[in-house]
Amino acid sequence: MTLIRIEGDDLVVVIEGFDKLWSFKGSLTIPLANVRGATADPGIAADPKGIRAPGSHVPGVITAGTFHQDGEKVFWNVRDAAKAVVVELADERYARLVIQVDDPRAAVALVENALA
Amino acid sequence: MGRPRAFDEDEAVRAAVDLFGGRAYDGVSVDDLVSHLGVHRNSLYKTFGSKRGLYLIALRRHLTDDVRPLLDALGDVPDAEAALRLVTTADLRLLLLATVERAPVDEEVASEVTAALAAVDRAIADALGVPADLAAALTAAALGIVLRGNPDNAATALIRHLDPLP
């Protein structure tokens, strides 16, 4: 599970519990100026993810960590595809984050409203 | 460097206008966009930032491609009947869906929609030489007729009562 919140001009993404172990990350802080948008996207879990390094990928169970695809780095932390949200970034180490949140609709609204 | 864009952005946006105009924002998934627009998922995010980012671009394209020609045509109408017929036969699906679905929850959409509808009001007021509030009422009636899915009969009934208008 991933928690997201807005702190001032930053988007803070916190990886919880065992997921922290799988993805090798505790939290990410990204300036909102570098956030391009958020989208609820359950279908993304079925797409090819590229090469994992570092992180964990047990197909059908968990996808967590840094994945390299088409020259981009994508951060994944998803167990339940139905709750996957894609956060697109610019000028950051990661091109995008694919994270599982408790309420995708609310998470997308939180990010999009912070950008508006 | 990522993979070069292998899609026509212009065509993809036009396809998005049709998709969002047919199924509304919430009725279109990213999977739908990927399969209908001919865009890889990563390219879609890289180009438009998010589903909402694409939606805003599609809405603006709809206003340019579909609503702007209506405004131009309204400038030449001889009477209220012709104005009503134009508005009820124009392709305004995305504008109408955006008005009821997204404008209440998205300020940017609300701003685009409000400006577009005000422009229709102004075009009718200028063409017919009627007060702004009457022009707004005509626009509202025309859009209501479209929303009820019975443009011909309802428009004809309304037009019968518009005879005193120029």
Side-chain angles (χ1 to χ4, degrees):
Chain A
M1 185 63 75
T2 312
L3 297 176
I4 64 168
R5 60 176 182 265
I6 307 295
E7 284 183 6
D9 292 330
D10 293 329
L11 172 69
V12 178
V13 178
V14 181
I15 316 298
E16 286 199 307
F18 279 119
D19 289 357
K20 197 190 303 188
L21 189 64
W22 308 131
S23 60
F24 301 101
K25 293 280 168 196
S27 70
L28 297 164
T29 299
I30 298 142
L32 283 171
N34 291 353
V35 178
R36 297 185 59 207
T39 307
D41 185 1
I44 195 169
D47 269 15
K49 293 161 190 69
I51 298 161
R52 178 195 70 225
S56 310
H57 184 208
V58 182
V61 180
I62 184 167
T63 305
T66 300
F67 286 71
H68 300 253
Q69 188 179 30
D70 300 334
E72 294 181 321
K73 278 208 258 193
V74 181
F75 178 80
W76 279 79
N77 188 39
V78 175
R79 286 168 186 264
D80 180 357
K83 295 183 173 181
V85 167
V86 179
V87 181
E88 183 72 10
L89 307 177
D91 303 322
E92 286 284 326
R93 187 159 145 249
Y94 294 106
R96 68 190 57 89
L97 316 176
V98 187
I99 51 178
Q100 178 184 329
V101 297
D102 197 31
D103 183 343
R105 206 179 174 88
V108 167
L110 178 75
V111 175
E112 294 286 356
N113 289 337
L115 297 180
Chain B
M1 288 295 290
R3 183 191 293 168
R5 282 178 202 168
F7 71 99
D8 184 324
E9 195 172 321
D10 200 55
E11 279 180 21
V13 171
R14 190 60 232 181
V17 171
D18 294 336
L19 206 54
F20 286 126
R23 300 189 193 173
Y25 183 80
D26 275 343
V28 176
S29 68
V30 178
D31 286 353
D32 293 329
L33 292 169
V34 167
S35 59
H36 284 79
L37 272 53
V39 180
H40 288 296
R41 195 180 301 262
N42 288 351
S43 298
L44 189 144
Y45 285 122
K46 201 186 299 188
T47 306
F48 303 108
S50 64
K51 176 181 160 186
R52 176 179 175 269
L54 170 58
Y55 182 83
L56 281 170
I57 291 171
L59 177 61
R60 287 170 186 142
R61 167 65 71 80
H62 172 59
L63 298 179
T64 304
D65 285 2
D66 304 315
V67 179
R68 169 57 55 187
L70 170 66
L71 299 178
D72 294 342
L74 282 171
D76 297 328
V77 292
D79 52 29
E81 176 177 347
L84 200 60
R85 289 226 183 276
L86 270 180
V87 178
T88 53
T89 53
D91 179 4
L92 302 178
R93 287 176 304 163
L94 182 50
L95 175 62
L96 289 171
L97 284 176
T99 304
V100 297
E101 184 200 23
R102 294 297 297 166
V105 295
D106 188 320
E107 284 180 17
E108 266 186 277
V109 172
S111 162
E112 296 285 354
V113 161
T114 303
L117 293 178
V120 175
D121 294 345
R122 260 196 318 277
I124 290 178
D126 291 348
L128 302 183
V130 297
D133 55 352
L134 180 54
L138 277 172
T139 306
L143 296 180
I145 287 167
V146 176
L147 277 175
R148 292 184 68 176
N150 185 20
D152 291 336
N153 294 343
T156 304
L158 179 58
I159 284 163
R160 278 204 297 273
H161 295 281
L162 294 179
D163 284 345
L165 287 177

